[in-house]
Amino acid sequence: MRKSVDRSRLYARYEKLSRTRISKNFILRDFLFSTYAASIGASNFPEDPDMVVRAAKALCETLLEPILSKFGRFAITFAYQSREVIDAGLSRDERRSNPNSSNPHQFDRKTWGSDIYARIDILPYCVEDGEVTKHEFAQWLMHNLNVDLLMQWTRSNVFCLTISPMPRRVWIEWGNAALGEPRQTRHMGAHYWKNIYPTLPPIQRPKFGPSSTGGSLRWTID
């Protein structure tokens, strides 16, 4: 009986939180649903709901609403993931060896304290339907939005997008080495920011730049 009451209370809290309006076109439920969490019976309830709401609003303002305005609808395939759900996907040895691992999908991880560090995966229908190529879509994002890290895959139309307080502005495409594809192609990284960006006229440069790390994936914080 007690478990039933606790479950009902959790559901009521979750339902109320999930209806929080995030932006013109999104509510928090769009960020909280996880197929993996559902498959293992986990709630994916945030540890810090206020921070998760702030992160979702930042993702909407920085990325999602501009993408929607430019390209039309897309599906959010993977957004917030609680620590409980992250740990459920790790082996006991992995959890023991790296108990404080940082994952940008955990919006309330506080990797940067109160600053927002968050990641979301989307499937743009314009790419899925062949109206825009993956390269054209990613290039527009990297030249017009304040993206920290953009990852795409040769085998998928999903894009993984990250925002952070110190944007690295790196664009990576992952390939399948077993099929003879390059394992990793950096369309925008150290070479771009050090050798190409300085030579471009202002009108051809990305709206946000340069990279806070010189195109490296690693941050160096004094």
Side-chain angles (χ1 to χ4, degrees):
M1 181 65 179
R2 178 60 182 273
K3 286 186 178 181
S4 177
V5 172
D6 290 345
R7 188 179 297 273
S8 297
R9 288 176 178 171
L10 177 61
Y11 171 78
R13 289 177 60 208
Y14 200 113
E15 184 66 12
K16 181 179 179 180
L17 177 66
S18 70
R19 294 185 184 185
T20 302
R21 187 72 175 270
I22 299 300
S23 70
K24 179 181 179 180
N25 293 288
F26 298 93
I27 63 174
L28 193 59
R29 180 184 282 120
D30 298 318
F31 298 83
L32 293 182
F33 179 74
S34 162
T35 51
Y36 178 70
S39 71
I40 63 174
S43 71
N44 205 37
F45 194 87
E47 296 176 14
D48 187 339
D50 290 341
M51 188 165 191
V52 170
V53 168
R54 287 200 302 114
K57 287 182 176 181
L59 284 166
C60 284
E61 180 180 354
T62 307
L63 304 177
L64 303 186
E65 290 289 358
I67 292 172
L68 187 62
S69 178
K70 174 67 176 179
F71 294 102
R73 292 190 60 204
F74 52 82
I76 296 176
T77 59
F78 190 27
Y80 176 74
Q81 198 174 34
S82 69
R83 189 75 240 175
E84 173 193 11
V85 176
I86 293 172
D87 286 345
L90 302 176
S91 69
R92 182 179 300 178
D93 288 342
E94 288 173 324
R95 291 196 298 272
R96 184 183 298 115
S97 63
N98 195 7
N100 299 313
S101 61
S102 179
N103 185 327
H105 282 291
Q106 187 186 0
F107 301 170
D108 49 1
R109 170 67 180 80
K110 297 182 174 65
T111 303
W112 292 85
S114 61
D115 291 333
I116 299 301
Y117 179 43
R119 176 173 291 170
I120 192 165
D121 295 7
I122 65 170
L123 174 65
Y125 297 144
C126 62
V127 174
E128 185 81 350
D129 295 339
E131 299 169 3
V132 178
T133 67
K134 288 191 287 187
H135 190 86
E136 290 169 338
F137 181 82
Q139 187 173 48
W140 187 88
L141 266 61
M142 294 303 297
H143 277 76
N144 292 277
L145 304 181
N146 195 11
V147 180
D148 168 63
L149 172 64
L150 184 154
M151 293 188 290
Q152 64 183 95
W153 290 263
T154 58
R155 62 188 182 279
S156 171
N157 290 327
V158 169
F159 292 79
C160 179
L161 310 173
T162 306
I163 60 174
S164 81
M166 293 179 61
R168 295 163 289 183
R169 312 193 201 286
V170 175
W171 169 14
I172 297 175
E173 182 170 22
W174 298 98
N176 188 336
L179 297 178
E181 299 172 346
R183 179 178 176 273
Q184 180 190 121
T185 301
R186 294 208 181 186
H187 298 291
M188 194 175 283
H191 175 73
Y192 175 87
W193 289 110
K194 293 177 181 178
N195 301 305
I196 298 177
Y197 177 79
T199 69
L200 296 175
I203 195 172
Q204 293 182 17
R205 291 180 174 180
K207 182 178 179 180
F208 296 92
S211 165
S212 66
T213 62
S216 171
L217 283 176
R218 293 182 177 272
W219 286 289
T220 300
I221 304 174
D222 295 331

